[in-house]
């Protein structure tokens, strides 16, 4: 049998997200469900099939489902775009621009034509770039999800500020040092989910837990947005829970 492609794209539905249509992109250690109308991730599965996002669109489910996703970038200002489709999401259109064995690119344009989000899938990760910003408006990039499949007391996080492991309920406020990154883990899992901001800035990168999900926002403090220019963010899994190993992966990506 021929070897599996490093990056594969198929079209289907996300059954865990009420059957919403999705681009399904698989790499060595992750499967991404990129919802086709909203333009955000509804699920991100590790190689054991555990979903670290846990979105579903039931209206009123809040932190338990409808709020979850990535990048959840444009919210109630010049539209609500790049979120898996829920009752409050404004729709976008999409096109597959690149589809090779090692690179898939999918570009979403907001329904009002003012925003553009570019998804690049590589053998080791996914990059999201806000490639067009509506003039006069701001955005954030968020991870609202469930480390290891469920928020619980065994979850923890690291970030680029120091090498201490923090319990999932511990908040963080402030601008991260470069390279700006967070990694989320579960004591029952041998891996971590990471988010990396490629451009250093002086904007806040705040984290707060909710009863059923994470709320990490690059360029966010409380409900204020700060990002105004095109920016790139990487997400993926590191098959380790050791700080130094995660840090090395982050530095390698930005290099």
């Amino acid at each position: 049998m021929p070897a599996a492609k490093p990056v594969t794209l198929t079209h289907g539905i996300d059954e865990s997200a009420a059957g919403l249509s999705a681009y399904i992109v698989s790499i060595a250690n992750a499967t991404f469900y990129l919802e086709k109308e909203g333009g955000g991730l509804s699920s991100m599965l590790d190689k054991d099939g555990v979903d670290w996002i846990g979105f579903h669109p039931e209206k009123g489910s809040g932190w338990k489902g409808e709020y979850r996703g990535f990048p959840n970038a444009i919210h109630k200002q010049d539209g609500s775009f790049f979120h898996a489709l829920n009752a409050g999401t404004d729709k976008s259109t999409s096109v597959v621009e690149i589809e090779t064995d090692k690179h898939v690119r999918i570009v979403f344009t907001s329904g009002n034509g003012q925003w553009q989000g570019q998804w690049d899938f590589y053998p080791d990760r996914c990059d999201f770039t806000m490639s067009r910003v509506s003039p006069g408006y701001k955005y954030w990039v968020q991870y609202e999800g469930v480390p290891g499949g469920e928020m619980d007391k065994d979850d923890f996080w690291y970030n680029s500020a120091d090498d201490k492991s923090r319990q999932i309920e511990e908040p963080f406020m402030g601008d991260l040092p470069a390279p700006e990154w967070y990694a989320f883990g579960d004591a029952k899992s041998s891996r971590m989910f990471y988010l990396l901001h490629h451009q250093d800035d002086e904007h806040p990168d705040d984290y707060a837990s909710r009863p059923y999900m994470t709320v990490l926002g690059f360029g966010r403090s409380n409900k204020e947005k700060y990002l105004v220019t095109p920016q790139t963010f990487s997400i993926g899994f590191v098959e380790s829970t050791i700080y130094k190993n995660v840090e090395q992966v982050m530095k390698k990506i930005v290099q």
Side-chain angles (χ1 to χ4, degrees):
M1 294 179 64
K5 297 177 182 179
V7 182
T8 62
L9 168 65
T10 58
H11 302 262
I13 63 171
D14 188 345
E15 294 182 359
S16 69
L20 292 173
S21 295
Y23 296 105
I24 305 170
V25 184
S26 297
I27 63 174
N29 67 348
T31 301
F32 304 87
Y33 286 77
L34 179 54
E35 198 274 311
K36 287 188 174 182
E37 293 187 284
L41 292 180
S42 57
S43 297
M44 182 174 168
L45 280 58
D46 64 25
K47 63 183 180 180
D48 293 322
V50 177
D51 181 9
W52 291 59
I53 290 179
F55 168 84
H56 65 80
E58 180 183 352
K59 188 174 182 179
S61 59
W63 300 326
K64 293 183 178 181
E66 65 179 332
Y67 295 165
R68 299 174 183 176
F70 174 88
N72 301 1
I74 304 154
H75 180 60
K76 294 183 179 180
Q77 47 99 52
D78 198 36
S80 293
F81 300 106
F82 306 149
H83 191 300
L85 191 65
N86 63 24
T89 307
D90 292 316
K91 295 182 180 180
S92 299
T93 58
S94 61
V95 60
V96 178
E97 289 192 345
I98 297 173
E99 186 177 358
T100 71
D101 290 357
K102 295 183 179 181
H103 183 194
V104 168
R105 173 177 291 167
I106 303 168
V107 177
F108 280 81
T109 303
S110 62
N112 64 5
Q114 297 298 106
W115 302 87
Q116 197 163 77
Q118 176 178 302
W119 296 83
D120 289 286
F121 297 90
Y122 300 105
D124 63 331
R125 69 184 194 277
C126 165
D127 289 354
F128 173 79
T129 302
M130 186 67 78
S131 52
R132 181 188 303 164
V133 179
S134 185
Y137 290 94
K138 301 178 181 180
Y139 69 99
W140 53 37
V141 166
Q142 301 186 106
Y143 167 54
E144 296 177 290
V146 285
E150 182 181 13
M151 282 279 283
D152 58 44
K153 62 181 178 58
D154 293 329
D155 297 336
F156 62 98
W157 57 267
Y158 298 133
N159 69 22
S160 59
D162 59 49
D163 63 359
K164 294 181 181 179
S165 175
R166 311 284 185 175
Q167 291 186 327
I168 199 67
E169 294 181 352
E170 184 172 344
F172 178 89
M173 298 182 69
D175 174 37
L176 289 173
E180 300 182 348
W181 62 266
Y182 277 85
F184 292 85
D186 185 312
K188 299 181 290 293
S189 176
S190 61
R191 62 182 57 88
M192 300 192 77
F193 169 72
Y194 70 81
L195 303 98
L196 167 69
H197 185 190
H198 287 226
Q199 291 80 23
D200 185 32
D201 60 27
E202 296 181 354
H203 301 312
D205 306 301
D206 289 3
Y207 168 72
S209 69
R210 295 293 181 262
Y212 301 99
M213 71 176 195
T214 61
V215 182
L216 161 65
F218 288 105
R220 170 177 175 158
S221 184
N222 294 315
K223 294 187 178 181
E224 294 295 321
K225 304 174 183 69
Y226 289 87
L227 304 180
V228 296
T229 60
Q231 306 276 306
T232 298
F233 303 82
S234 294
I235 60 173
F237 292 111
V238 176
E239 300 300 317
S240 175
T241 59
I242 298 172
Y243 184 94
K244 186 173 293 186
N245 294 343
V246 177
E247 183 182 46
Q248 288 175 348
V249 172
M250 301 302 98
K251 290 181 177 179
K252 181 178 180 182
I253 292 172
V254 295
Q255 288 173 356

